[in-house]
Amino acid sequence: MSEIAEIIDSLENRIGKLLVKIKSLEQDSISIKAEKTTTATVIQKQSDEILQLKSECESLRMANSLLGGEENKRDTKLKINSLIREIDHCIAQLSD
């Protein structure tokens, strides 16, 4: 009879340890989910900032090329030609 009691006590101890482990894992899971949400928010903000900086960089490149520096003459000519084509296209659409 004492063997059965020892087995039961052993099982109760194991179950208790498992319950503690489950609670710990649940808390870890909650913590990780919160961290994931925070990280996703940070990533989204950084992605938005990257897009904004790329746009600003492109604007600065265009402004610099329009200033007509020696290095950017080819880029300036290409950009001006592109803008002229766009304007011609708009005028053609308005004429129709």
Coordinates of all heavy atoms in Angstrom, one line a residue:
M1 N 0.8 -1.2 0.0 CA 0.0 0.0 0.0 C 0.9 1.3 0.0 O 0.5 2.3 -0.6 CB -0.9 0.0 1.2 CG -1.9 1.1 1.3 SD -3.1 0.8 0.0 CE -4.5 1.4 0.8
S2 N 2.0 1.2 0.7 CA 2.9 2.3 0.7 C 3.5 2.6 -0.6 O 3.8 3.8 -0.9 CB 4.0 2.2 1.8 OG 4.8 1.1 1.4
E3 N 3.7 1.6 -1.4 CA 4.2 1.8 -2.8 C 3.3 2.6 -3.6 O 3.7 3.5 -4.4 CB 4.5 0.4 -3.5 CG 5.7 -0.3 -3.0 CD 5.9 -1.6 -3.7 OE1 5.5 -1.6 -4.9 OE2 6.4 -2.5 -3.1
I4 N 2.0 2.3 -3.5 CA 1.0 3.1 -4.2 C 1.0 4.5 -3.8 O 0.9 5.4 -4.6 CB -0.4 2.4 -4.1 CG1 -0.4 1.0 -4.7 CG2 -1.5 3.3 -4.7 CD1 -1.7 0.2 -4.5
A5 N 1.1 4.7 -2.5 CA 1.1 6.1 -1.9 C 2.3 6.8 -2.5 O 2.2 8.0 -2.8 CB 1.1 6.1 -0.4
E6 N 3.5 6.2 -2.5 CA 4.7 6.8 -3.0 C 4.5 7.1 -4.5 O 5.0 8.2 -5.0 CB 5.9 5.9 -2.8 CG 6.3 5.8 -1.4 CD 7.5 4.8 -1.2 OE1 8.1 4.4 -2.2 OE2 7.7 4.3 -0.1
I7 N 3.9 6.2 -5.3 CA 3.7 6.5 -6.7 C 2.8 7.7 -6.9 O 3.0 8.5 -7.7 CB 3.2 5.2 -7.4 CG1 4.2 4.1 -7.4 CG2 2.7 5.5 -8.8 CD1 3.7 2.8 -7.9
I8 N 1.7 7.7 -6.1 CA 0.8 8.8 -6.2 C 1.4 10.1 -5.8 O 1.3 11.1 -6.5 CB -0.5 8.5 -5.3 CG1 -1.3 7.4 -5.9 CG2 -1.3 9.8 -5.1 CD1 -2.4 6.9 -5.0
D9 N 2.2 10.1 -4.7 CA 3.0 11.3 -4.3 C 3.9 11.8 -5.4 O 4.0 13.0 -5.7 CB 3.8 11.1 -3.0 CG 2.9 11.0 -1.8 OD1 1.7 11.5 -1.9 OD2 3.3 10.5 -0.7
S10 N 4.6 10.8 -6.0 CA 5.5 11.1 -7.1 C 4.8 11.7 -8.3 O 5.3 12.7 -8.9 CB 6.3 9.8 -7.5 OG 7.1 10.1 -8.6
L11 N 3.6 11.1 -8.6 CA 2.8 11.7 -9.7 C 2.3 13.1 -9.4 O 2.3 14.0 -10.3 CB 1.7 10.8 -10.0 CG 2.0 9.4 -10.8 CD1 0.8 8.5 -10.8 CD2 2.6 9.7 -12.1
E12 N 1.9 13.3 -8.2 CA 1.4 14.6 -7.8 C 2.6 15.6 -7.9 O 2.3 16.8 -8.3 CB 0.9 14.6 -6.3 CG -0.5 13.9 -6.2 CD -1.0 13.8 -4.8 OE1 -0.2 14.1 -3.8 OE2 -2.2 13.5 -4.6
N13 N 3.7 15.3 -7.4 CA 4.9 16.2 -7.5 C 5.2 16.5 -9.0 O 5.4 17.7 -9.4 CB 6.1 15.6 -6.9 CG 6.0 15.6 -5.4 OD1 5.3 16.4 -4.8 ND2 6.8 14.7 -4.7
R14 N 5.2 15.5 -9.8 CA 5.5 15.7 -11.3 C 4.4 16.6 -11.9 O 4.7 17.5 -12.7 CB 5.5 14.4 -12.0 CG 6.8 13.6 -11.7 CD 6.8 12.3 -12.4 NE 7.9 11.4 -12.1 CZ 8.1 10.2 -12.5 NH1 7.3 9.7 -13.4 NH2 9.2 9.5 -12.1
I15 N 3.1 16.3 -11.5 CA 2.0 17.1 -12.1 C 2.2 18.6 -11.6 O 2.0 19.5 -12.4 CB 0.7 16.5 -11.7 CG1 0.5 15.2 -12.5 CG2 -0.4 17.5 -12.0 CD1 -0.8 14.4 -12.0
G16 N 2.5 18.7 -10.4 CA 2.7 20.1 -9.8 C 3.8 20.8 -10.6 O 3.7 22.0 -10.9
K17 N 5.0 20.1 -10.8 CA 6.1 20.7 -11.6 C 5.6 21.1 -13.0 O 6.0 22.1 -13.5 CB 7.3 19.8 -11.6 CG 7.9 19.7 -10.2 CD 9.1 18.7 -10.3 CE 9.8 18.5 -8.9 NZ 10.9 17.5 -9.0
L18 N 4.9 20.2 -13.6 CA 4.4 20.4 -14.9 C 3.5 21.6 -15.0 O 3.5 22.4 -15.9 CB 3.7 19.2 -15.5 CG 4.6 18.0 -15.9 CD1 3.7 16.8 -16.3 CD2 5.5 18.4 -17.1
L19 N 2.6 21.8 -14.0 CA 1.7 22.9 -13.9 C 2.5 24.2 -13.8 O 2.2 25.2 -14.4 CB 0.7 22.8 -12.8 CG -0.4 21.7 -13.0 CD1 -1.2 21.6 -11.7 CD2 -1.3 22.0 -14.2
V20 N 3.5 24.2 -12.9 CA 4.4 25.4 -12.8 C 5.1 25.7 -14.1 O 5.1 26.9 -14.5 CB 5.4 25.2 -11.6 CG1 6.5 26.3 -11.6 CG2 4.7 25.1 -10.3
K21 N 5.5 24.7 -14.8 CA 6.2 24.9 -16.1 C 5.3 25.4 -17.1 O 5.6 26.3 -17.9 CB 6.8 23.5 -16.5 CG 7.6 23.6 -17.8 CD 8.9 24.3 -17.5 CE 9.8 24.1 -18.7 NZ 11.1 24.8 -18.6
I22 N 4.0 24.9 -17.1 CA 3.0 25.4 -18.1 C 2.7 26.9 -17.8 O 2.7 27.7 -18.7 CB 1.7 24.6 -17.9 CG1 1.9 23.2 -18.6 CG2 0.6 25.3 -18.6 CD1 0.8 22.2 -18.3
K23 N 2.6 27.3 -16.5 CA 2.3 28.7 -16.2 C 3.5 29.6 -16.7 O 3.3 30.7 -17.2 CB 2.1 28.9 -14.7 CG 0.7 28.4 -14.3 CD 0.5 28.6 -12.8 CE -0.9 28.0 -12.4 NZ -1.1 28.1 -11.0
S24 N 4.7 29.1 -16.4 CA 5.9 29.8 -16.8 C 5.9 30.0 -18.4 O 6.2 31.1 -18.9 CB 7.1 29.1 -16.4 OG 8.3 29.6 -16.9
L25 N 5.6 28.9 -19.1 CA 5.6 29.0 -20.5 C 4.5 29.9 -21.1 O 4.7 30.6 -22.0 CB 5.5 27.6 -21.1 CG 6.7 26.7 -21.0 CD1 6.3 25.3 -21.4 CD2 7.9 27.2 -21.7
E26 N 3.4 29.9 -20.4 CA 2.3 30.8 -20.8 C 2.7 32.3 -20.6 O 2.5 33.1 -21.4 CB 1.0 30.5 -20.0 CG 0.3 29.3 -20.4 CD -0.9 28.9 -19.5 OE1 -1.0 29.5 -18.4 OE2 -1.7 28.1 -19.9
Q27 N 3.4 32.6 -19.5 CA 3.9 33.9 -19.2 C 4.9 34.3 -20.3 O 4.9 35.4 -20.8 CB 4.5 34.0 -17.8 CG 3.5 34.0 -16.7 CD 2.5 35.2 -16.8 OE1 2.9 36.3 -17.1 NE2 1.3 34.9 -16.5
D28 N 5.8 33.4 -20.6 CA 6.8 33.6 -21.7 C 6.1 33.9 -23.0 O 6.5 34.8 -23.8 CB 7.8 32.4 -21.8 CG 8.7 32.2 -20.6 OD1 8.8 33.2 -19.8 OD2 9.4 31.2 -20.5
S29 N 5.1 33.1 -23.3 CA 4.4 33.3 -24.5 C 3.7 34.7 -24.6 O 3.8 35.4 -25.6 CB 3.3 32.2 -24.7 OG 2.5 32.4 -25.8
I30 N 3.1 35.1 -23.5 CA 2.5 36.4 -23.5 C 3.6 37.5 -23.7 O 3.4 38.5 -24.4 CB 1.8 36.6 -22.1 CG1 0.5 35.7 -22.1 CG2 1.4 38.1 -21.9 CD1 -0.1 35.7 -20.7
S31 N 4.7 37.3 -23.0 CA 5.8 38.3 -23.1 C 6.3 38.3 -24.6 O 6.6 39.4 -25.1 CB 6.9 37.9 -22.2 OG 8.0 38.7 -22.4
I32 N 6.5 37.2 -25.2 CA 7.0 37.1 -26.6 C 6.0 37.8 -27.5 O 6.4 38.5 -28.5 CB 7.3 35.7 -26.9 CG1 8.5 35.2 -26.2 CG2 7.5 35.6 -28.4 CD1 8.8 33.8 -26.3
K33 N 4.7 37.6 -27.3 CA 3.7 38.2 -28.2 C 3.7 39.7 -28.0 O 3.6 40.4 -29.0 CB 2.3 37.6 -27.8 CG 2.0 36.2 -28.3 CD 0.7 35.7 -27.9 CE 0.5 34.3 -28.3 NZ -0.8 33.7 -27.9
A34 N 3.9 40.2 -26.8 CA 4.0 41.6 -26.6 C 5.2 42.2 -27.3 O 5.2 43.2 -28.0 CB 4.0 42.0 -25.1
E35 N 6.3 41.5 -27.2 CA 7.6 41.9 -27.8 C 7.4 41.9 -29.3 O 7.9 42.8 -30.0 CB 8.7 41.0 -27.4 CG 10.1 41.4 -27.9 CD 11.2 40.5 -27.4 OE1 11.0 39.8 -26.4 OE2 12.2 40.5 -28.0
K36 N 6.7 40.9 -29.8 CA 6.5 40.8 -31.3 C 5.7 42.0 -31.8 O 6.0 42.5 -32.8 CB 5.7 39.5 -31.6 CG 5.4 39.3 -33.0 CD 4.5 38.1 -33.2 CE 3.9 38.0 -34.6 NZ 2.8 37.1 -34.8
T37 N 4.7 42.3 -31.1 CA 3.8 43.5 -31.4 C 4.7 44.8 -31.5 O 4.6 45.6 -32.4 CB 2.6 43.6 -30.5 OG1 1.9 42.4 -30.5 CG2 1.8 44.8 -30.9
T38 N 5.4 44.9 -30.4 CA 6.3 46.1 -30.3 C 7.3 46.1 -31.5 O 7.5 47.2 -32.1 CB 7.1 46.1 -29.0 OG1 6.1 46.1 -27.9 CG2 7.9 47.4 -28.8
T39 N 7.9 45.0 -31.7 CA 8.9 44.9 -32.8 C 8.2 45.2 -34.2 O 8.8 45.9 -35.0 CB 9.5 43.5 -32.8 OG1 10.1 43.3 -31.5 CG2 10.6 43.4 -33.9
A40 N 7.0 44.7 -34.4 CA 6.3 44.9 -35.6 C 6.1 46.4 -35.8 O 6.2 47.0 -36.9 CB 5.1 44.1 -35.7
T41 N 5.7 47.1 -34.7 CA 5.5 48.5 -34.8 C 6.7 49.3 -35.1 O 6.7 50.2 -36.0 CB 4.9 49.0 -33.4 OG1 3.7 48.3 -33.1 CG2 4.6 50.5 -33.5
V42 N 7.8 48.9 -34.5 CA 9.1 49.5 -34.8 C 9.5 49.3 -36.2 O 10.0 50.2 -36.9 CB 10.2 49.0 -33.8 CG1 11.6 49.5 -34.2 CG2 9.9 49.5 -32.4
I43 N 9.3 48.1 -36.7 CA 9.7 47.8 -38.1 C 8.9 48.6 -39.0 O 9.4 49.2 -40.0 CB 9.5 46.3 -38.3 CG1 10.6 45.5 -37.6 CG2 9.6 46.0 -39.9 CD1 10.5 44.0 -37.7
Q44 N 7.6 48.8 -38.8 CA 6.7 49.6 -39.6 C 7.2 51.0 -39.7 O 7.2 51.6 -40.7 CB 5.3 49.4 -39.2 CG 4.3 50.2 -40.1 CD 4.3 49.6 -41.5 OE1 4.3 48.5 -41.7 NE2 4.3 50.6 -42.5
K45 N 7.5 51.6 -38.5 CA 7.9 53.0 -38.4 C 9.2 53.1 -39.2 O 9.4 54.1 -39.9 CB 8.1 53.4 -36.9 CG 6.8 53.6 -36.2 CD 7.1 54.0 -34.8 CE 5.8 54.2 -34.0 NZ 6.1 54.6 -32.6
Q46 N 10.1 52.2 -39.0 CA 11.4 52.3 -39.7 C 11.2 52.1 -41.2 O 11.9 52.8 -42.0 CB 12.4 51.2 -39.2 CG 12.9 51.5 -37.8 CD 13.8 50.4 -37.3 OE1 13.8 49.2 -37.8 NE2 14.5 50.7 -36.2
S47 N 10.3 51.3 -41.7 CA 10.0 51.1 -43.1 C 9.5 52.4 -43.7 O 9.9 52.9 -44.7 CB 9.0 50.0 -43.3 OG 9.6 48.8 -43.0
D48 N 8.6 53.1 -42.9 CA 8.0 54.3 -43.3 C 9.1 55.4 -43.4 O 9.2 56.2 -44.4 CB 6.9 54.8 -42.4 CG 5.7 53.9 -42.4 OD1 5.5 53.2 -43.4 OD2 4.9 54.0 -41.5
E49 N 10.0 55.4 -42.4 CA 11.1 56.4 -42.4 C 12.0 56.1 -43.6 O 12.5 57.1 -44.2 CB 11.8 56.3 -41.1 CG 12.9 57.3 -41.0 CD 13.6 57.3 -39.6 OE1 13.2 56.4 -38.8 OE2 14.6 58.0 -39.4
I50 N 12.3 54.9 -43.9 CA 13.2 54.5 -45.0 C 12.5 55.0 -46.3 O 13.2 55.6 -47.2 CB 13.4 53.0 -45.1 CG1 14.4 52.6 -44.0 CG2 14.0 52.6 -46.5 CD1 14.5 51.1 -43.8
L51 N 11.2 54.8 -46.5 CA 10.6 55.3 -47.7 C 10.7 56.8 -47.8 O 10.9 57.4 -48.9 CB 9.1 54.8 -47.8 CG 8.9 53.3 -48.0 CD1 7.4 53.0 -47.9 CD2 9.4 52.9 -49.4
Q52 N 10.4 57.5 -46.7 CA 10.5 58.9 -46.7 C 11.9 59.4 -47.0 O 12.1 60.3 -47.8 CB 10.1 59.5 -45.3 CG 10.1 61.0 -45.2 CD 9.8 61.5 -43.8 OE1 9.6 60.7 -42.9 NE2 9.8 62.8 -43.6
L53 N 12.9 58.8 -46.4 CA 14.3 59.2 -46.7 C 14.7 58.9 -48.2 O 15.4 59.7 -48.8 CB 15.3 58.4 -45.7 CG 15.2 58.9 -44.3 CD1 16.0 58.0 -43.4 CD2 15.6 60.3 -44.1
K54 N 14.2 57.8 -48.7 CA 14.5 57.5 -50.1 C 13.9 58.6 -51.0 O 14.5 59.0 -52.0 CB 13.9 56.1 -50.5 CG 14.8 55.0 -50.0 CD 14.2 53.6 -50.5 CE 15.1 52.5 -50.1 NZ 14.6 51.2 -50.5
S55 N 12.7 59.0 -50.7 CA 12.0 60.0 -51.4 C 12.8 61.3 -51.3 O 13.0 62.0 -52.3 CB 10.6 60.2 -50.9 OG 9.9 61.3 -51.6
E56 N 13.2 61.7 -50.1 CA 14.0 62.9 -49.9 C 15.3 62.8 -50.7 O 15.7 63.8 -51.3 CB 14.2 63.1 -48.4 CG 13.0 63.6 -47.7 CD 13.3 63.7 -46.2 OE1 14.5 63.8 -45.8 OE2 12.3 63.8 -45.4
C57 N 15.9 61.7 -50.6 CA 17.2 61.5 -51.3 C 17.0 61.7 -52.8 O 17.8 62.3 -53.5 CB 17.8 60.1 -51.0 SG 19.4 59.8 -51.7
E58 N 15.9 61.1 -53.4 CA 15.7 61.2 -54.8 C 15.4 62.7 -55.1 O 15.9 63.2 -56.2 CB 14.5 60.4 -55.2 CG 14.2 60.4 -56.7 CD 15.3 59.9 -57.6 OE1 16.1 59.0 -57.1 OE2 15.5 60.5 -58.7
S59 N 14.7 63.4 -54.3 CA 14.4 64.8 -54.5 C 15.7 65.6 -54.5 O 15.9 66.5 -55.3 CB 13.5 65.4 -53.4 OG 12.2 64.7 -53.5
L60 N 16.6 65.3 -53.5 CA 17.9 66.0 -53.5 C 18.7 65.7 -54.7 O 19.4 66.6 -55.2 CB 18.6 65.6 -52.2 CG 18.0 66.2 -50.9 CD1 18.7 65.6 -49.7 CD2 18.1 67.7 -50.9
R61 N 18.7 64.5 -55.1 CA 19.5 64.1 -56.4 C 18.9 64.9 -57.5 O 19.7 65.4 -58.4 CB 19.4 62.6 -56.6 CG 20.2 61.8 -55.8 CD 20.2 60.3 -56.3 NE 21.0 59.5 -55.3 CZ 20.7 58.3 -55.0 NH1 19.6 57.7 -55.6 NH2 21.4 57.6 -54.2
M62 N 17.6 65.0 -57.6 CA 17.0 65.7 -58.8 C 17.4 67.2 -58.7 O 17.8 67.8 -59.6 CB 15.5 65.6 -58.8 CG 14.8 66.2 -60.0 SD 13.0 66.2 -60.0 CE 12.6 64.6 -59.3
A63 N 17.3 67.8 -57.5 CA 17.6 69.2 -57.3 C 19.1 69.4 -57.6 O 19.4 70.4 -58.3 CB 17.3 69.6 -55.9
N64 N 19.9 68.5 -57.2 CA 21.3 68.6 -57.4 C 21.6 68.5 -58.9 O 22.4 69.3 -59.5 CB 22.1 67.6 -56.6 CG 23.6 67.8 -56.6 OD1 24.0 69.0 -56.7 ND2 24.4 66.8 -56.5
S65 N 20.9 67.6 -59.6 CA 21.2 67.4 -61.0 C 20.7 68.6 -61.8 O 21.2 69.0 -62.8 CB 20.6 66.1 -61.5 OG 19.2 66.2 -61.5
L66 N 19.6 69.2 -61.3 CA 19.0 70.4 -62.0 C 19.9 71.6 -61.8 O 19.8 72.6 -62.5 CB 17.6 70.7 -61.5 CG 16.5 69.7 -62.0 CD1 15.2 70.0 -61.3 CD2 16.4 69.6 -63.5
L67 N 20.7 71.6 -60.7 CA 21.6 72.7 -60.5 C 22.7 72.8 -61.6 O 23.3 73.8 -61.8 CB 22.3 72.6 -59.1 CG 21.4 72.9 -57.9 CD1 22.1 72.6 -56.6 CD2 20.8 74.3 -58.0
G68 N 22.9 71.7 -62.2 CA 23.8 71.6 -63.4 C 25.3 71.5 -63.1 O 26.1 72.0 -63.8
G69 N 25.6 70.7 -62.1 CA 27.0 70.4 -61.8 C 27.6 69.6 -62.9 O 26.9 69.0 -63.7
E70 N 28.9 69.7 -63.0 CA 29.7 69.0 -64.1 C 29.4 67.5 -64.1 O 29.2 66.9 -65.1 CB 31.2 69.3 -64.0 CG 31.6 70.7 -64.4 CD 31.3 71.0 -65.8 OE1 31.5 70.1 -66.7 OE2 30.9 72.1 -66.1
E71 N 29.3 67.0 -62.9 CA 29.1 65.5 -62.8 C 27.7 65.1 -63.2 O 27.5 64.0 -63.6 CB 29.4 65.1 -61.4 CG 30.7 65.4 -60.9 CD 30.8 65.2 -59.4 OE1 29.8 64.9 -58.7 OE2 32.0 65.3 -58.8
N72 N 26.8 66.0 -63.1 CA 25.4 65.6 -63.3 C 24.8 66.2 -64.6 O 23.5 66.1 -64.7 CB 24.5 66.2 -62.1 CG 25.0 65.6 -60.8 OD1 25.3 64.4 -60.7 ND2 25.1 66.4 -59.8
K73 N 25.6 66.6 -65.5 CA 25.0 67.2 -66.8 C 24.2 66.2 -67.5 O 23.1 66.5 -68.0 CB 26.1 67.7 -67.7 CG 26.6 69.1 -67.3 CD 27.6 69.6 -68.3 CE 28.0 71.0 -67.9 NZ 28.9 71.6 -68.9
R74 N 24.7 64.9 -67.6 CA 23.9 63.9 -68.3 C 22.6 63.6 -67.6 O 21.6 63.5 -68.3 CB 24.8 62.6 -68.5 CG 24.1 61.5 -69.2 CD 25.0 60.3 -69.4 NE 24.5 59.4 -70.3 CZ 23.6 58.5 -69.9 NH1 23.1 58.4 -68.7 NH2 23.1 57.6 -70.8
D75 N 22.7 63.5 -66.3 CA 21.4 63.2 -65.6 C 20.5 64.4 -65.7 O 19.2 64.1 -65.8 CB 21.8 63.0 -64.1 CG 22.5 61.7 -63.8 OD1 22.4 60.8 -64.7 OD2 23.1 61.5 -62.8
T76 N 21.0 65.6 -65.7 CA 20.1 66.7 -65.8 C 19.4 66.7 -67.2 O 18.2 67.0 -67.2 CB 21.0 68.0 -65.7 OG1 21.6 68.0 -64.4 CG2 20.1 69.3 -65.8
K77 N 20.2 66.5 -68.2 CA 19.6 66.4 -69.6 C 18.5 65.3 -69.7 O 17.4 65.6 -70.2 CB 20.7 66.2 -70.6 CG 21.6 67.4 -70.8 CD 22.6 67.1 -71.8 CE 23.6 68.3 -72.0 NZ 24.7 68.0 -72.9
L78 N 18.8 64.2 -69.1 CA 17.8 63.1 -69.2 C 16.6 63.4 -68.4 O 15.5 63.1 -68.8 CB 18.5 61.8 -68.6 CG 19.6 61.2 -69.5 CD1 20.2 60.0 -68.7 CD2 19.0 60.7 -70.8
K79 N 16.8 64.1 -67.2 CA 15.6 64.4 -66.4 C 14.8 65.5 -67.1 O 13.5 65.4 -67.1 CB 16.1 64.9 -65.0 CG 14.9 65.1 -64.1 CD 14.2 63.8 -63.8 CE 13.0 64.0 -62.9 NZ 12.3 62.8 -62.7
I80 N 15.4 66.5 -67.7 CA 14.7 67.5 -68.4 C 13.9 66.9 -69.6 O 12.8 67.3 -69.8 CB 15.7 68.6 -68.9 CG1 16.1 69.4 -67.6 CG2 15.0 69.6 -69.9 CD1 17.3 70.4 -67.9
N81 N 14.6 66.0 -70.3 CA 13.9 65.4 -71.5 C 12.7 64.6 -71.0 O 11.6 64.6 -71.6 CB 14.9 64.5 -72.2 CG 15.9 65.3 -73.0 OD1 15.6 66.5 -73.4 ND2 17.0 64.7 -73.4
S82 N 12.9 63.9 -69.9 CA 11.8 63.1 -69.3 C 10.6 64.0 -68.9 O 9.4 63.8 -69.2 CB 12.2 62.3 -68.1 OG 11.2 61.7 -67.4
L83 N 10.9 65.2 -68.3 CA 9.9 66.1 -67.9 C 9.2 66.7 -69.1 O 8.0 66.9 -69.1 CB 10.5 67.2 -67.0 CG 11.0 66.8 -65.6 CD1 11.7 67.9 -65.0 CD2 9.8 66.4 -64.8
I84 N 9.9 67.0 -70.1 CA 9.4 67.5 -71.4 C 8.4 66.5 -72.0 O 7.3 66.9 -72.4 CB 10.5 68.0 -72.4 CG1 11.2 69.2 -71.8 CG2 9.9 68.2 -73.8 CD1 12.4 69.6 -72.6
R85 N 8.8 65.3 -72.0 CA 7.9 64.2 -72.6 C 6.6 64.1 -71.8 O 5.6 64.0 -72.3 CB 8.6 62.9 -72.6 CG 9.6 62.7 -73.8 CD 10.0 61.2 -73.9 NE 10.8 60.8 -72.8 CZ 12.1 60.9 -72.7 NH1 12.8 61.4 -73.6 NH2 12.7 60.5 -71.6
E86 N 6.8 64.2 -70.4 CA 5.6 64.2 -69.6 C 4.6 65.3 -69.9 O 3.4 65.2 -70.0 CB 5.9 64.1 -68.1 CG 6.5 62.8 -67.7 CD 6.8 62.8 -66.2 OE1 6.1 63.5 -65.4 OE2 7.8 62.2 -65.8
I87 N 5.2 66.5 -70.0 CA 4.4 67.7 -70.3 C 3.8 67.6 -71.7 O 2.6 67.9 -71.8 CB 5.3 69.0 -70.2 CG1 5.7 69.2 -68.8 CG2 4.6 70.2 -70.8 CD1 6.8 70.3 -68.6
D88 N 4.5 67.1 -72.7 CA 3.9 66.9 -74.0 C 2.8 66.0 -74.0 O 1.8 66.1 -74.6 CB 5.0 66.4 -75.0 CG 6.0 67.6 -75.4 OD1 5.7 68.7 -75.2 OD2 7.1 67.2 -75.9
H89 N 3.0 64.9 -73.2 CA 1.9 63.9 -73.1 C 0.6 64.5 -72.4 O -0.5 64.3 -72.9 CB 2.4 62.7 -72.2 CG 1.4 61.6 -72.0 ND1 1.0 60.8 -73.1 CD2 0.7 61.2 -70.9 CE1 0.1 59.9 -72.6 NE2 -0.1 60.2 -71.3
C90 N 0.9 65.3 -71.4 CA -0.3 66.0 -70.7 C -1.0 66.9 -71.7 O -2.2 67.0 -71.8 CB 0.2 66.7 -69.5 SG 0.7 65.7 -68.1
I91 N -0.2 67.7 -72.5 CA -0.8 68.6 -73.4 C -1.6 67.9 -74.5 O -2.7 68.3 -74.9 CB 0.3 69.5 -74.1 CG1 0.9 70.5 -73.0 CG2 -0.2 70.3 -75.3 CD1 2.1 71.2 -73.5
A92 N -1.0 66.8 -75.0 CA -1.7 65.9 -75.9 C -3.0 65.4 -75.4 O -4.1 65.4 -76.1 CB -0.9 64.8 -76.4
Q93 N -3.1 65.0 -74.1 CA -4.3 64.5 -73.5 C -5.3 65.7 -73.4 O -6.5 65.5 -73.5 CB -4.0 63.9 -72.2 CG -3.4 62.6 -72.3 CD -3.2 61.9 -70.9 OE1 -3.1 62.6 -69.9 NE2 -3.0 60.6 -70.9
L94 N -4.8 66.9 -73.1 CA -5.7 68.0 -72.9 C -6.3 68.4 -74.3 O -7.4 68.9 -74.3 CB -5.0 69.2 -72.2 CG -4.7 69.0 -70.8 CD1 -3.9 70.2 -70.3 CD2 -6.0 68.9 -69.9
S95 N -5.5 68.2 -75.3 CA -6.0 68.6 -76.6 C -7.1 67.7 -77.2 O -7.9 68.2 -78.0 CB -4.8 68.6 -77.6 OG -3.8 69.5 -77.2
D96 N -7.1 66.5 -76.7 CA -8.1 65.6 -77.2 C -9.5 65.8 -76.7 O -10.1 66.4 -76.1 CB -7.7 64.1 -76.9 CG -6.5 63.7 -77.6 OD1 -6.2 64.3 -78.6 OD2 -5.8 62.7 -77.1

